[in-house]
């Protein structure tokens, strides 16, 4: 298939392009480089030995995206492009609603116009809010606590309503848990701009000496050691989940959790990083972050049953690969 990948130079998008190409698909990337670098294109080519097409466009710009649809045969769209910081979304709600929702509407409209019937959307575990773990796809969603989470819920709703009205339009909504790690080549990975919001890039930057010590937000949660528990998934496993979702896409709306089904606390992740890479990570406990929940992990049985997909890489592998990328880059 010829797949249009929006946000394809970003963290999850770039790994997914590699897995798509390795599975024999062709890739057209549309990205405005607002949170990624152009070098990623040559790195993807270097890893896969394959050609890719790149358009530097903003996917909220309907005219620009229309010209991609009119000049390429597209069989499906994977829509990663969007802003992703919970904290920033509270400060810049309008930018988040505009970018994350208008981009989806533009793409759906063009898909319908050009009869592109496969659409895969990047959603997030954040849509479950403070439900009881493990999170199951059929749970009623609880209101998110920030604009970022709302953009994911609204996008899911738009896609569901459009699929209902257009029976040929097939949608996969993928709810990611916490992707970490990097491609084993060390050529692509996560390189956030500024002080990282996510735990693993924070740890790797402390390991590199770019930051003094790790701040752990809260040590009084009702968890195994008082720190927050998350379901960390290797980004390569997550990327492979996209290929499975696309290749096995059924009519209608299909929702899948992409996680490992296992919870790991912040302290357990720090210790795993230390063990995997033989580096001490100094840390301090600070107050809880507003909006953070105690525990978040997935029930992953649906993806296994319907897609034949499950995550294979363990926490030690995630820590080794994340560190290899950080050491080699920036
Ligand atoms: N990383 C996570 O922990 C996580 C978890 C759950 C869901 N997600 C979702 O997955 C998707 C990808 O996340 P990521 O971690 O790879 O983020 P990322 O920031 O690394 O990648 C997003 C890419 O989209 C591009 N982009 C943003 N707005 C654009 C626009 N209007 N037009 C064109 N390009 C645009 C950016 O330049 C970037 O390359 C996002 O939708 C995010 O909300 C991420």
């Amino acid at each position: 298939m010829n797949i249009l990948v929006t946000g394809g130079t970003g963290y999850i998008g770039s790994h997914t392009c590699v897995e798509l190409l390795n599975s024999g698909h062709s890739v057209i990337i549309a990205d405005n480089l607002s949170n990624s670098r152009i070098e990623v294109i040559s790195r993807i080519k270097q890893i896969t030995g394959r050609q890719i097409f790149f358009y530097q466009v903003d996917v909220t710009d309907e005219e620009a995206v229309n010209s991609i649809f009119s000049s390429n045969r597209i069989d499906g769209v994977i829509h990663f492009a969007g802003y992703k910081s919970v904290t920033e979304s509270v400060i810049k709600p309008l930018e988040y609603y505009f970018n994350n929702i208008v981009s989806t509407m533009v793409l759906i409209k063009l898909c319908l116009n050009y009869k592109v019937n496969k659409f895969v959307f990047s959603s997030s575990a954040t849509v479950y809010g403070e439900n009881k773990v493990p999170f199951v796809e059929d749970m009623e969603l609880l209101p998110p606590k920030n604009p970022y989470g709302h953009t994911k819920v609204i996008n899911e709703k738009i896609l569901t309503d459009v699929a209902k009205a257009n029976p040929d339009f097939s949608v996969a909504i993928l709810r990611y848990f916490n992707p970490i790690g990097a491609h084993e080549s060390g050529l692509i990975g996560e390189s956030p701009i500024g002080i990282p919001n996510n735990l693993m890039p924070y740890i790797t930057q402390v390991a590199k000496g770019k930051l003094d010590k790790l701040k752990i937000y809260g040590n009084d949660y009702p968890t195994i050691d008082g720190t927050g528990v998350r379901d960390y998934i290797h980004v390569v496993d997550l990327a492979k989940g996209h290929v499975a979702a696309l290749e096995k896409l059924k009519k209608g709306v299909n929702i899948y959790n992409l996680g490992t089904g296992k919870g790991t606390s912040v302290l357990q992740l720090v210790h795993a990083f230390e063990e995997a890479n033989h580096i001490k990570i100094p840390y301090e406990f600070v107050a809880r972050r507003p909006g953070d929940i105690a525990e978040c992990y997935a029930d992953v049985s649906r993806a296994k049953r319907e897609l034949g997909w499950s995550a294979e890489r363990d926490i030690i592998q995630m820590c080794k690969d994340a560190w290899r990328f950080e050491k080699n880059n920036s």
Side-chain angles (χ1 to χ4, degrees):
M1 288 186 268
N2 263 340
I3 307 300
L4 173 63
V5 182
T6 75
T9 44
Y11 175 45
I12 307 169
S14 56
H15 289 82
T16 302
C17 288
V18 167
E19 297 307 322
L20 285 166
L21 292 161
N22 284 344
S23 306
H25 301 291
S26 298
V27 163
I28 302 156
I29 292 179
D31 199 302
N32 63 2
L33 302 178
S34 58
N35 196 36
S36 53
R37 300 185 173 88
I38 189 69
E39 299 83 68
V40 171
I41 299 291
S42 55
R43 303 256 173 125
I44 296 172
K45 288 182 184 165
Q46 194 181 334
I47 293 169
T48 61
R50 296 276 312 276
Q51 194 52 251
I52 46 177
F53 299 94
F54 173 66
Y55 291 86
Q56 187 172 349
V57 296
D58 192 306
V59 289
T60 62
D61 178 347
E62 186 178 334
E63 217 179 295
V65 185
N66 184 59
S67 69
I68 303 178
F69 276 78
S70 67
S71 48
N72 293 277
R73 198 205 73 203
I74 295 170
D75 299 305
V77 172
I78 306 184
H79 180 32
F80 292 103
Y83 296 150
K84 64 167 179 179
S85 158
V86 166
T87 321
E88 192 183 50
S89 78
V90 176
I91 302 160
K92 300 176 172 174
L94 187 59
E95 283 88 334
Y96 270 68
Y97 283 114
F98 184 85
N99 197 40
N100 291 6
I101 295 169
V102 173
S103 59
T104 309
M105 293 200 294
V106 163
L107 287 163
I108 299 173
K109 185 174 166 190
L110 292 168
C111 281
L112 296 178
N113 287 351
Y114 286 88
K115 302 206 172 359
V116 176
N117 287 327
K118 293 179 198 295
F119 198 99
V120 177
F121 177 66
S122 301
S123 192
S124 162
T126 184
V127 299
Y128 291 109
E130 286 183 272
N131 263 298
K132 212 169 155 295
V133 283
F135 296 154
V136 184
E137 288 90 342
D138 293 332
M139 274 176 166
E140 196 181 324
L141 304 183
L142 297 178
K145 293 220 152 68
N146 52 73
Y148 169 73
H150 280 288
T151 69
K152 293 299 180 195
V153 172
I154 295 167
N155 274 316
E156 288 198 5
K157 178 80 181 125
I158 295 171
L159 284 161
T160 305
D161 290 344
V162 172
K164 234 182 252 165
N166 298 272
D168 285 336
F169 193 55
S170 306
V171 176
I173 290 173
L174 305 182
R175 293 181 180 156
Y176 310 155
F177 281 70
N178 291 68
I180 58 173
H183 191 265
E184 60 177 10
S185 63
L187 289 170
I188 53 172
E190 185 172 19
S191 37
I193 293 162
I195 296 198
N197 275 302
N198 295 339
L199 180 56
M200 184 53 94
Y202 209 127
I203 292 177
T204 57
Q205 293 200 13
V206 171
K208 205 165 186 185
K210 281 195 213 163
L211 296 169
D212 262 10
K213 55 178 135 168
L214 172 70
K215 284 190 172 61
I216 298 182
Y217 299 101
N219 60 346
D220 56 354
Y221 285 107
T223 59
I224 182 167
D225 54 23
T227 63
V229 165
R230 297 292 177 268
D231 183 343
Y232 295 100
I233 173 170
H234 196 295
V235 66
V236 172
D237 282 327
L238 183 64
K240 287 176 185 283
H242 289 73
V243 180
L246 189 71
E247 291 179 346
K248 300 246 169 86
L249 190 57
K250 294 179 297 193
K251 289 250 179 301
V253 177
N254 306 274
I255 304 179
Y256 297 105
N257 285 340
L258 297 185
T260 62
K262 292 185 207 89
T264 303
S265 75
V266 175
L267 278 179
Q268 286 172 331
L269 186 66
V270 169
H271 294 142
F273 186 90
E274 293 180 333
E275 184 195 324
N277 299 308
H278 312 290
I279 299 171
K280 200 97 203 104
I281 301 296
Y283 61 82
E284 63 177 340
F285 294 116
V286 296
R288 290 181 181 193
R289 247 184 341 194
D292 275 353
I293 57 175
E295 289 190 293
C296 168
Y297 54 89
D299 177 312
V300 289
S301 47
R302 186 187 282 178
K304 186 165 189 189
R305 195 173 57 244
E306 294 186 12
L307 303 177
W309 170 91
S310 48
E312 288 170 355
R313 291 157 180 79
D314 65 9
I315 287 279
I316 294 290
Q317 186 72 48
M318 299 180 209
C319 292
K320 283 186 178 162
D321 291 342
W323 178 232
R324 185 182 308 107
F325 177 73
E326 178 69 40
K327 257 190 316 189
N328 291 353
N329 296 276
S330 60

